[in-house]
Amino acid sequence: MDLERSGGTPAGEIVAEGDEATIKDLESPSLADRSVEHGEGELLGTEIDQILAAKMVIINDTIDEIGFTRHHWKLFCLNGFGYAVDSLILLIQSIISGQARLEFQPGYATGLTIAVYVGMLAGAIFWGFSADIIGRRFAFNVSLFVSSIFTVVAGAAPSWITLGLFICLSAFGAGGNLVLDTTVFLEYLPSKDQWLLTLMAAWWGLGQLIAGLFAWAFIPNYSCSDAATCTKENNPGWRYVWYTSGAFVFVLSVLRITIIRLQETPKYLIAEGKDSDAVRVLQEIATRYNRPCSISLDRLEACGLSRSSNNPSVGMARRLLNPEEVIYHLRGLFATRKMAVSTTLVWLSWLLIGLAYPLYNVFLPTYLESRGASFGQTSAYITWRNYAINNTCGIFGPILAGFMCRSRLFWGRRGTMIIGAMITMVFFFCYTQVRTASQNLGFTCAISFCLNIYYGTLYAYTPEVFPSGHRGTGNGVAIGLNRIMGIVSAVVGEAADTSTPVPIFICAALYIIMAIVAGAFPFEPYGKRSS
């Protein structure tokens, strides 16, 4: 397979196939240069190959010309399903782990947390790289179905080890969705609507809410309380949570392939050198929704050939297993010094949030239970009711963040992340001084709301600052680093006492660092168009 990616034929020198003549010096300056000049609002216009940048200007102009349609609303919901499932699977294991431990009495209490993060790490890396190498469509159609099957099977696990295995496999399917969902949605969005990418993170909170509601419905009523007498027969509540969740994810996976038949995104096709396919996809959308569409294949071909390595005769498996493909996409994230700084800082942010988020959210049931006990609230019903209320509050953080991101008042994406991180830090410190049951619930709700302002914005910012041809890889590595720190948090949770305020202090300190890193990001997507 030819992996030469030198940038292809320069604009103004188009070589026809066969015996056709070579046409040179069409115009001066070149078509590529003029297109980039006209695309001054392009976020990465000077940071990527100029021929590819010129084509991206044309694609962005066409997407803006078509505007926002019902197709985009469908994508908002269907990609949002992936967000919801990722958080659902992540939190279910923490919700049911206590009851599963009573039944199986394992030697390593946080084994399920490690299992879910290992699965999500593998999923983020696999689906992330595959998104750039073989396309977005395959993962979009398959990942939720894989997750649903193993989510159902996890409910029938006969032992702690097999439960961990099925949770890992379920998380593998779900773990790629955070990589794909933002990528697919962004690459179809008109530039003025890119703020919706932040708003889409509200689905993450919805997934948490659903997990909390399932727990509230089943665990208080169908659970044992004594390890000595706990059996499969008198402790079915946690299994019901898995069965119900698996059925829910299966329904979502079916909706993905019935409501919309996703085609590869135009920006991915352009990066792969498939100009004619990109034109066809955009023209089909415009025709379906009766929108103008002035793009033509001639305009794209006049810019030159941006990539000559795509070989349709090479199979999917061979491309996935080719290390040169992986290296190429990793190098593309460090093409210039500015992009290298941006990529490094984005990945660092995912490392930090990867430790802070699970230290709080994954172990939140422990905090609520220990604090509730100190206030005389020993009822499992109250614990899971508070958990559901807390997760409801998390839905609205990304909604506020979405409106903040589209306003100059809050300095765009970077300012929103700084504000979200700093406010979260304040509430973390305040939470250590909680003295009443009402304060306990109020401050956990405030923290859930505020940390999702930062988290939701980071989810949107990350794909925006990666070039389209390497977006899946950049996203996959970012989420992968996040999952690695989730594994670390599980080890910390095993070694430390999570019922004390110490993890809360650690989380507060991490959010201070995250605010500083956000201020150092070299790119600000506000008012710009992503490649």
Side-chain angles (χ1 to χ4, degrees), residues 70-226:
R70 288 197 308 276
H71 180 78
H72 296 92
W73 280 121
K74 292 178 182 178
L75 288 175
F76 179 80
C77 294
L78 296 174
N79 285 290
F81 292 167
Y83 264 74
V85 170
D86 187 284
S87 63
L88 180 79
I89 300 301
L90 179 62
L91 290 190
I92 282 178
Q93 64 79 25
S94 68
I95 288 170
I96 62 90
S97 62
Q99 291 306 129
R101 284 199 303 269
L102 286 177
E103 183 176 327
F104 296 128
Q105 300 182 40
Y108 202 84
T110 58
L112 298 187
T113 301
I114 294 176
V116 76
Y117 275 107
V118 167
M120 288 192 166
L121 168 62
I125 297 299
F126 175 80
W127 300 112
F129 280 104
S130 71
D132 284 340
I133 296 173
I134 62 174
R136 285 59 159 140
R137 183 180 180 183
F138 176 76
F140 182 87
N141 290 334
V142 172
S143 58
L144 284 190
F145 178 75
V146 171
S147 181
S148 68
I149 297 301
F150 289 108
T151 300
V152 172
V153 174
S159 69
W160 184 257
I161 299 298
T162 53
L163 176 59
L165 173 62
F166 293 138
I167 288 176
C168 182
L169 293 172
S170 174
F172 171 78
N177 278 276
L178 292 186
V179 180
L180 268 295
D181 297 332
T182 51
T183 296
V184 170
F185 191 48
L186 174 64
E187 293 186 356
Y188 275 106
L189 271 179
S191 57
K192 67 180 180 63
D193 298 307
Q194 283 182 196
W195 67 277
L196 287 172
L197 202 62
T198 302
L199 182 63
M200 196 171 74
W203 286 92
W204 174 270
L206 184 60
Q208 291 179 319
L209 172 60
I210 292 170
L213 291 176
F214 286 163
W216 190 12
F218 294 116
I219 291 182
N221 301 315
Y222 303 96
S223 298
C224 61
S225 57
D226 183 6

